[in-house]
Amino acid sequence: MTRLTDRQTVLVGLAITAVAAAVLLAMGRTPICACGTVKLWHGVVQSRENSQHVSDWYTFSHLIHGFLFYGATWLIARRWPIGARLAAALAVEAGWEIVENTDLVINRYREATIALDYYGDSVLNSVCDIAAMTAGFVLAARLPVGVVVGLALAMEVGAGYAIRDNLTLNVLMLLYPLDAVRQWQAGG
């Protein structure tokens, strides 16, 4: 496989992100929060502005996606150049952002989790989620494995404590919802 230059990797990443943004817009996703503002951080999970701004509690999950995609591509495609592995990770993350914003998945979140006010991501939030995954991938490529594992655990525990949700619980509740977890997440 041909090695991509850093510039080519950036261009491929921007192209993948732009295609995802165009698809999301074509699906009817709002470009920015319907509230009309753009915030760097929005920390209120149970609100219509969740997943509408640059970052939120779920940004940590996307950083962890980057850690996981780096690990997976290292295991599966170790001989590929790092730029090609990043491009593959970007394609998967962009694909998830599109699938996550379909009515099927949005309705599943509302039925199976405590995300009753979740109406999908803004395009801005999806693009920033893709950027967060990229940052996680780059960090995983540069940091020792123990540091990456420690960061992932800290983010999972921190988000779990702060908002009673994290990547692990999100996946569990999306695929196999448990009433006990839903009650705990609701504060009961």
Side-chain angles (χ1 to χ4, degrees), residues 11-115:
L11 290 174
V12 167
L14 290 173
I16 290 169
T17 304
V19 167
V23 169
L24 290 164
L25 285 168
M27 290 170 53
R29 305 305 321 151
T30 59
I32 64 169
C33 180
C35 64
T37 63
V38 174
K39 297 178 188 173
L40 184 59
W41 170 262
H42 181 76
V44 181
V45 174
Q46 295 298 326
S47 78
R48 287 185 167 266
E49 290 186 45
N50 192 47
S51 296
Q52 300 298 303
H53 297 284
V54 172
S55 62
D56 54 43
W57 283 105
Y58 296 100
T59 301
F60 298 112
S61 294
H62 293 280
L63 284 164
I64 296 170
H65 288 178
F67 296 169
L68 294 171
F69 292 154
Y70 177 82
T73 61
W74 184 85
L75 287 172
I76 296 168
R78 175 177 330 188
R79 294 178 182 243
W80 288 15
I82 191 77
R85 290 168 41 202
L86 176 56
L90 279 159
V92 172
E93 183 74 4
W96 168 246
E97 285 299 322
I98 292 166
V99 170
E100 178 186 30
N101 284 287
T102 62
D103 288 340
L104 178 72
V105 175
I106 291 169
N107 290 333
R108 177 70 176 165
Y109 273 125
R110 281 192 257 162
E111 292 166 6
T113 72
I114 60 166

Side-chain angles (χ1 to χ4, degrees), residues 126-146:
S126 289
V127 166
C128 291
D129 287 348
I130 294 169
M133 184 286 302
T134 304
F137 189 99
V138 170
L139 285 171
R142 295 175 188 263
L143 295 174
V145 172

